[in-house]
Amino acid sequence: ELAQRPARGKLVLVSSINSTPVGEGKSTTMVGLGQALRRLGTNAVVCIREPSLGPVFGVKGGAAGGGYAQVVPMEDLNLHFTGDFHAIASAHALLSAMLDNHIFQGNALGVDPRRITWPRTIDMNDRALRKVIVGLGGATGGVPREERWVIVPASEIMAVVALATSRADLEERISRIIIGSTAGKAPVRAGDLGVTGAMSLLLKDALRPNLVQTLEGGPVLAHCGPFANIAHGCNSLMATKTALALADVVVTEAGFGSDLGAEKFFDIKSRFGGLSPAAAVLVCTVRSLKYHGGAAKTALGEEDLDALARGLPNLEHHVENLRRFGVPVVVALNRHLRDTDAEHQLVADAASRLGVPLALSDVWERGGEGGEALARELLTLLEGPTPTYRPLYDLHLPLREKIETIVRKAYGGDGADFSAAAARSIDHLESIGMRDVPVCMAKTQFSLTDDPKRLGRPTGFRLTVNEVYPAAGAGFVVAQCGDIMTMPGLPKAPAAERMGIDEEGGSYGLS
Amino acid sequence: ELAQRPARGKLVLVSSINSTPVGEGKSTTMVGLGQALRRLGTNAVVCIREPSLGPVFGVKGGAAGGGYAQVVPMEDLNLHFTGDFHAIASAHALLSAMLDNHIFQGNALGVDPRRITWPRTIDMNDRALRKVIVGLGGATGGVPREERWVIVPASEIMAVVALATSRADLEERISRIIIGSTAGKAPVRAGDLGVTGAMSLLLKDALRPNLVQTLEGGPVLAHCGPFANIAHGCNSLMATKTALALADVVVTEAGFGSDLGAEKFFDIKSRFGGLSPAAAVLVCTVRSLKYHGGAAKTALGEEDLDALARGLPNLEHHVENLRRFGVPVVVALNRHLRDTDAEHQLVADAASRLGVPLALSDVWERGGEGGEALARELLTLLEGPTPTYRPLYDLHLPLREKIETIVRKAYGGDGADFSAAAARSIDHLESIGMRDVPVCMAKTQFSLTDDPKRLGRPTGFRLTVNEVYPAAGAGFVVAQCGDIMTMPGLPKAPAAERMGIDEEGGSYGLS
Amino acid sequence: ELAQRPARGKLVLVSSINSTPVGEGKSTTMVGLGQALRRLGTNAVVCIREPSLGPVFGVKGGAAGGGYAQVVPMEDLNLHFTGDFHAIASAHALLSAMLDNHIFQGNALGVDPRRITWPRTIDMNDRALRKVIVGLGGATGGVPREERWVIVPASEIMAVVALATSRADLEERISRIIIGSTAGKAPVRAGDLGVTGAMSLLLKDALRPNLVQTLEGGPVLAHCGPFANIAHGCNSLMATKTALALADVVVTEAGFGSDLGAEKFFDIKSRFGGLSPAAAVLVCTVRSLKYHGGAAKTALGEEDLDALARGLPNLEHHVENLRRFGVPVVVALNRHLRDTDAEHQLVADAASRLGVPLALSDVWERGGEGGEALARELLTLLEGPTPTYRPLYDLHLPLREKIETIVRKAYGGDGADFSAAAARSIDHLESIGMRDVPVCMAKTQFSLTDDPKRLGRPTGFRLTVNEVYPAAGAGFVVAQCGDIMTMPGLPKAPAAERMGIDEEGGSYGLS
Amino acid sequence: ELAQRPARGKLVLVSSINSTPVGEGKSTTMVGLGQALRRLGTNAVVCIREPSLGPVFGVKGGAAGGGYAQVVPMEDLNLHFTGDFHAIASAHALLSAMLDNHIFQGNALGVDPRRITWPRTIDMNDRALRKVIVGLGGATGGVPREERWVIVPASEIMAVVALATSRADLEERISRIIIGSTAGKAPVRAGDLGVTGAMSLLLKDALRPNLVQTLEGGPVLAHCGPFANIAHGCNSLMATKTALALADVVVTEAGFGSDLGAEKFFDIKSRFGGLSPAAAVLVCTVRSLKYHGGAAKTALGEEDLDALARGLPNLEHHVENLRRFGVPVVVALNRHLRDTDAEHQLVADAASRLGVPLALSDVWERGGEGGEALARELLTLLEGPTPTYRPLYDLHLPLREKIETIVRKAYGGDGADFSAAAARSIDHLESIGMRDVPVCMAKTQFSLTDDPKRLGRPTGFRLTVNEVYPAAGAGFVVAQCGDIMTMPGLPKAPAAERMGIDEEGGSYGLS
């Protein structure tokens, strides 16, 4: 298969500063950058994640880029698409049902129902499923136990498909998924439940990357969609490797800021896939930086150089963060109509002080053409000396030290505190062979801390790790920090309320 | 659209005696009958239901006919197929999430969380989800309430899609779905929650019938899959009407025995769709009749004329039952290798006493050729006088009387008892305009009674109605009888344990 | 001990027609009758039940008789009294805690948490505890399971103390209490949990009857307080036997109508205790009979001979019911200020037709003096031929037949229907040696049926048995019928809201 | 009443080093000290707490002192005693039932069921009730919500009774109890629910101290029993004030080490009651100090001067801690048979270094006589200059600062970390007027930290505050730290298994 062929292209990661409610346009910039590269004659392929119905019906209404830098067919992509998420949800659900059935039918494996870490999943923002009791209704209704649902992008099956490098590897990963432990704390795995084959069968087609295109006709591989706040946040290795076998430059994003998606792109995906990232693009906007500097959301349309200056340290942190992984960085300043020249200049000065190139990007308005400046800066970097990618931490450190390292380096904090439950879980995981694995941090995207309200570049903070779960099939452990939820909730006025089919049978409300 | 064109074909229903653990081969007979009709030069189309993952991973391993009377591509049909079930599950889940979110966000509609009748759904045999508490975890986790999951084939959305006659009708039906009531017992509908548009959008493609074929290349429309024990048990009106617009003979089945699928085919689907069924085929086997006559499951391979004679009253009941709807009946005796001639003769004598034609069918072994005798008997019936189809009960009877009528006529029982909860629910439903609607009975398929162990043709029994739920979008109420569950459980040794992908990438374990 | 000495006195039961919201004055009549007997020179002792805090804080506000026919000290009796109920609640709670701890600590006995029938208890009307999930909070929080609370008067420990005949018998009964069963359905008993000794210790003093007095100074033994709708409804055997050893006439009541308390007095208490009841007093009022005849609650102060005539069949049923146990009956017509002579005459005529003596009773207003007529009629009965007490059913009938017998004879119904759960439970109980025991019916007190709204003397009805639980320590099984709850709820305006301590330190709001 | 008269006696607190599994004999020492004082002619009264059934049936088997320094009647004291705990449990339960009933009946106050902080209670070690869902069973079963049970010694009603200074004060405190808040976060109080009067009525007798005696006939007031790890840990103000009005010296204990009971005795009870403690006795044993020094539990019978030396810093911390409150301290070295002289000397040397008197106590073996040395040292202190008692913190500090102060000073830690839930709760409590109140710390008794395994005198630790609850009736807030549970669990082999009634009707297994 293509994914098994040697890489010929260079891999470029698109990351951003910390998310804000007004959006930074990272996907749009990535798609536009791909368009621009092709306009400049470069054989570029864009690798994106597939959207989840959660954000589609929640706040965002869709995830296919925007304006003249979009992926089509947008409507299918935002709804069922090729059914990958449904297949992942089904495979996940089959394991859940087989597990509870095993316990109900006599529990030959001696699974302790209170020590099950395998959640249920659904691709929906369904707050009411965060904490649930299942198995009620007496002796015929199963065995009562506490359960939690995660959204499909946080399902370990999503990570497994995204990180699998072949069908055999997929099956192997499924087999070693830990679903919980016995009363004696021995891990129990999906393979023990005899469900590996049926799960693989359900995932047979979902393992294949899906080919779509940009509005300008360039190739786009859309495959897998783990969130970057509650999962590892990258599109699939199968897609990235396929693209690297075919293209000269492969542009891909990792979700949210460099503290989240990028950190996991380098420490998990690249490490597991043997990738050698060649450069990183850091997307920012004047508006978002002003927001980080304390400007009110409603005042972002006004020039405010003070707020902008106060927000720039967030940009600086992310530049430093990306450089720490050994790759050169270019800043993409995603232009907005109401930005002023003075504001652009202030950001440019900051980039200059940091010694990183910066380019204005205008792809929403102008498509690939608007990204040519950025594409040129990027190509210059790619022609430079071969970078030496290095992960943030050594795999052989204890879990707590890996987490401490991430907190201190990637977040700029003082260290981590562990709840009693998290501490117990870490001790247990290390005792069952899950010590020398990466940690997938689950943390708010809005702040470098675990408190979504602390904007800019906070210092002197500690991170609280509340829960730690195994993801033995994915090959990492998940650390849940602060109040982050692996099952989002819908907002007061969900996007779903504004969607439908018009009289001609077309859709409205997606974007 | 095709479905809106006038019918040109004749509609033939395939039903059967009560189910037994050894299977009667109704789907196989139906597919083979379609093949045979085409061999005889008749322009026949077969309309089937889409399989659910529940039985696929549970007991059955698949549902596409068998032997030389199968629908292809079998593997896709048995797994995700075109995603219809996933779309239905997503639309259902969106309504659930929007409902709980509405309550969480202030509950402007005043929904009483204890009076919600809208369940959650998943396409899996997941016993542990029958009775659940959701919304736990304190003030940020939603509002605690008791919840139940039904399998997708029992989802009201499945019924809505199966009974909708157009896109506008679909949207209208969704809008009027009752999700529960206020503390003052006023019904609350999906339309009140502003979710009709987004649900319709999710179901846009699922409303379209899917074209597949028999092993002999004849056209098959596979669309929707409500179970006949816990739902109305028929494929979609869109598919049936499309087929009737195109073919001379349309062969379709309704699940399980004539007490279940056929009763609902006549009383719900045909009534709602304005259909005029032309004939019915009643499938039976010597083995199943011997089982009804008390023969042990392990002894069915031996000739046992006594047991067979004791089992024949079950056949007689179903013949009488089908005739009650005004259509002529032909008995299809689905041949098995170990049947004896004396056994075949005994069944034939019974048919003769009842005055119904009987044909031996051998389509599993011989494909369409093995069904020619049956096809000829059927064509003879179709050339006879136009039958006058009539439903079992008048829509204007009170709900209790409709249920009593079904019990007495379709089941041969003495009447129905209602639990206190069922009685309250019926009173409430009648008070909110759900009196003059059909009743969709949820009852075991193994017996004419509500006790799966009472085989043959029991008399002198009463049926217990435990719960009654509205299905205002579908247009009926659901009456749960005896211990029947709208969420099945997996067996001790699920079929899923025997499935997988072989070394060439093909699947095994499906059938 | 006194309770072990031979009886020298005659035992008189006070029963009544079906309860109505306006009250019949059974306790008041009983106390007044005791006072009257002593005024007439008879050595009479009254045996009453101890009140539960549930009704005290709920509807009733107290239970010590009324007017000039009361038991003192009323305030203590209605609150903690001598702590018997607290001791019973503690012993019950200890068994619950030891049971869940046993499961938590490794479950050496293999108790199936889903097959536990032992509830928790509290002496409070606490609706929210009817159906509960306990044991949540992860691996350190116990084992999750469904639980239910019953009010202390429905606790099996209450029945055990009330039916025990000695300290050794108490310990023996505790030991054989069934708390549930193993997965293999073998019963597990309190004795298996090693808790018999500690429970007996907690009940050491509670086993002793408490001596109080009437307003006129006559002795009253107040001991134990099982409700008659959800338990067996009689004061303790220890008290009754003690009284019989000391007095010439012992007057005791059994709660609610003869369908409830009296049936269980004869079929359970008398049978277990080897008692030979000598006569029964049936209390009624003109007001209650008019209510049974359909008069509005607000119109009971007006003469209404028609309603009274329509209500008399309820009285007739109870007379016949009591006679069925082989004892002579006298009707006590408890006088109310607004009764008319014509009304009194109508009731007297009815009694006359039935061949039972009737006496007007006026003890609320006039104390013992007001009960002399009744006392004289009773003494006449006691001087008559020795009655031959006989229970309603033979202990060796199957449980279903015992229940059918009670329904047909004591309630006047056509028979009983059993829910699937009840049927399973009965089969199970009969298989573990609980077939040849009495049945303690739990049923509404307001009707002879299981529907509290059907007043008078209904016919042609069936009773629904929803749940059946073992009470192996008490020595019977409990059958829950209709919507009856073993945990009452508080009303909209609980009596507790109107209680307190006044400025002198006295109480108000109790009665 | 006596409790309102001016104090004439001097108040002496008995505290101890951190608890160990082998026990320090604090209660025994206190009782023996009281006996000794009376032997020396001092008019001394001992004030103790009433035992809870939890520890009686759990690990301890009783709590009435030991050997020749006991309170009698021991058996009654350890079981129901005068019913105070039952009354407290009933009053607490009435508030719970009235609260859920209020919500069920329409919720006129708008209580948010997810923001209820009022738990349920039971006097039992019942682990399964720590985390519970109540109100299930549909619309008639209440409103589903998450609930927790605390043991009666942690009930706010226990604290309310223990801190009330008169009947009017009791009623006032009950009235202001906060049970939770509205959706808008306004506090809702017991007074709003109209239940103050009925609760006061239930507590009428429980407010009165109970007079018992030592084995040597000296007066003992036993009243109230809050635990010192999960509550404020002191006997009642009513009892202490009554004793101070009557005696020259009043000896009372506060549970567990000086980090728990003593801190709360000084910061809560003394402050609220206007008490002026005159001296403190610090109980220790050679065995416990060796355990703190790391000696194995099984090796405590052997002389081990090294372990003893390593354990002495725990003693030193507690001496310093007590002195911080402004009172003189005497160390009571509670002698054990297997102590060696060298060990005694080592402890004496340490006391000498700290400048505190020390006396050997031998009251278990020798009763009051064995406590005379201690009594003399104490009397010497009492004749010294009047001490100036001062609490640890100012009431006007923010809650977090009070907690920080306690952690740093009373525990010797570096500070406190707050869970997100605790932080939210603190902010909320401060916003509703509960800022200027004491904090009642709930923490393990086995360590100065929140980790029961860290013995001796740890440094460099932080305390985790997991939950903060209001106790507005008591007048403080409760901070739950580490894994401490307000509902204990039973051990693997509960003391209850070894209890019972012997053939003469006496009890065994209590102590």
Side-chain angles (χ1 to χ4, degrees), chain C residues 75 80 86 90 101 105 120 126-128 130-133 135-136 140 197 202 204 490-492 499 507, chain D residues 75 80 86 90 101 105 120 126-128 130-133 135-136 140 197 201-202 204 490-492 499:
Chain C
E75 182 186 302
H80 311 292
H86 291 315
S90 291
N101 187 56
Q105 300 284 2
R120 277 178 165 77
D126 199 343
R127 179 188 293 105
R130 282 179 188 158
K131 202 157 163 25
V132 170
I133 320 277
L136 303 173
T140 59
L202 280 167
K204 206 170 69 145
L490 288 169
K492 179 105 185 173
M499 287 177 191
S507 71
Chain D
E75 182 186 302
H80 310 292
H86 291 314
S90 291
N101 187 56
Q105 301 284 2
R120 275 178 166 77
D126 199 342
R127 181 189 293 104
R130 281 179 189 159
K131 202 158 161 27
V132 171
I133 320 276
L136 302 173
T140 59
L201 191 52
L202 280 167
K204 206 170 71 144
L490 288 168
K492 179 105 185 172
M499 287 177 190

Side-chain angles (χ1 to χ4, degrees), chain A residues 343-426:
Chain A
E343 289 177 327
H344 285 172
Q345 191 55 48
L346 201 60
V347 182
D349 292 349
S352 169
R353 275 198 310 279
L354 289 161
V356 286
L358 173 147
L360 214 56
S361 171
D362 197 13
V363 299
W364 199 92
E365 188 88 10
R366 293 163 55 213
E369 190 202 346
E372 288 186 8
L374 176 60
R376 284 202 188 86
E377 291 287 358
L378 174 63
L379 290 172
T380 305
L381 287 187
L382 293 180
E383 284 153 13
T386 302
T388 52
Y389 147 72
R390 53 181 180 268
L392 203 61
Y393 53 80
D394 190 283
L395 279 191
H396 303 297
L397 291 174
L399 292 175
R400 282 175 182 81
E401 287 187 37
K402 285 175 203 151
I403 294 172
E404 291 276 346
T405 303
I406 293 169
V407 173
R408 286 197 311 272
K409 294 196 183 161
Y411 307 164
D414 289 350
D417 298 318
F418 297 86
S419 77
R424 274 193 302 266
S425 181
I426 286 175

Side-chain angles (χ1 to χ4, degrees), chain A residues 118-458:
Chain A
W118 185 250
R120 276 179 165 79
T121 198
I122 191 172
D123 193 34
M124 197 59 69
N125 281 10
D126 199 343
R127 180 189 293 105
L129 301 184
R130 282 179 188 158
K131 200 156 164 30
V132 171
I133 320 276
V134 300
L136 303 174
T140 60
V143 172
R145 66 179 186 88
E146 294 175 280
E147 177 60 297
R148 63 191 175 99
W149 260 252
V150 301
I151 193 166
V152 163
S155 160
E156 185 176 349
I157 303 296
M158 177 64 81
V160 159
V161 176
L163 293 170
T165 50
S166 67
R167 182 148 299 148
D169 183 41
L170 175 74
E171 197 146 341
E172 164 62 24
R173 284 172 179 275
I174 289 171
S175 170
R176 66 177 194 243
I177 287 170
I178 290 175
I179 57 83
S181 55
T182 64
K185 302 199 184 165
V188 179
R189 295 176 190 273
D192 301 328
L193 289 162
V195 71
T196 307
M199 289 174 70
S200 302
L201 191 52
L202 279 168
L203 293 169
K204 207 169 69 143
D205 295 334
L207 186 61
R208 295 195 182 119
N210 309 287
L211 179 62
V212 286
Q213 58 183 325
T214 67
L215 272 182
E216 298 179 6
V220 175
L221 290 177
H223 198 214
C224 293
F227 288 166
N229 49 356
I230 54 176
H232 80 278
C234 305
N235 74 299
S236 79
L237 265 177
M238 288 292 278
T240 301
K241 292 191 152 207
T242 297
L244 284 169
L246 293 170
D248 293 323
V249 174
V250 175
V251 182
T252 189
E253 70 167 351
F256 300 124
S258 80
D259 50 329
L260 289 174
E263 186 270 312
K264 293 182 267 202
F265 172 81
F266 288 114
D267 282 328
I268 297 177
K269 178 179 175 179
S270 298
R271 173 142 46 186
F272 281 2
L275 306 178
S276 301
V281 176
L282 180 64
V283 180
C284 67
T285 64
V286 163
R287 290 156 64 84
S288 289
L289 289 168
K290 286 193 287 192
Y291 187 80
H292 274 289
K297 197 175 151 188
T298 49
L300 298 179
E302 311 302 313
E303 184 181 272
D304 184 345
L305 295 170
D306 285 352
L308 183 57
R310 285 193 307 270
L312 281 170
N314 188 270
L315 175 68
E316 291 160 12
H317 176 84
H318 288 286
V319 169
E320 291 169 13
N321 207 16
L322 289 169
R323 278 174 163 168
R324 198 169 279 125
F325 294 98
V327 295
V329 178
V330 52
V331 173
L333 180 52
N334 184 16
R335 189 172 168 273
H336 186 274
L337 207 70
R338 305 191 60 173
D339 296 349
T340 67
D341 289 347
E343 289 177 327
H344 285 172
Q345 191 55 48
L346 201 60
V347 182
D349 292 349
S352 169
R353 275 198 310 279
L354 289 161
V356 286
L358 173 147
L360 214 56
S361 171
D362 197 13
V363 299
W364 199 92
E365 188 88 10
R366 293 163 55 213
E369 190 202 346
E372 288 186 8
L374 176 60
R376 284 202 188 86
E377 291 287 358
L378 174 63
L379 290 172
T380 305
L381 287 187
L382 293 180
E383 284 153 13
T386 302
T388 52
Y389 147 72
R390 53 181 180 268
L392 203 61
Y393 53 80
D394 190 283
L395 279 191
H396 303 297
L397 291 174
L399 292 175
R400 282 175 182 81
E401 287 187 37
K402 285 175 203 151
I403 294 172
E404 291 276 346
T405 303
I406 293 169
V407 173
R408 286 197 311 272
K409 294 196 183 161
Y411 307 164
D414 289 350
D417 298 318
F418 297 86
S419 77
R424 274 193 302 266
S425 181
I426 286 175
D427 293 344
H428 173 60
L429 289 170
E430 294 194 338
S431 78
I432 59 167
M434 294 209 61
R435 179 186 182 275
D436 295 351
V437 296
V439 177
C440 179
M441 302 293 283
K443 183 187 75 72
T444 178
Q445 66 269 31
F446 296 114
S447 171
L448 291 165
T449 75
D450 60 10
D451 175 356
K453 300 214 182 80
R454 299 190 64 184
L455 307 183
R457 187 179 191 174

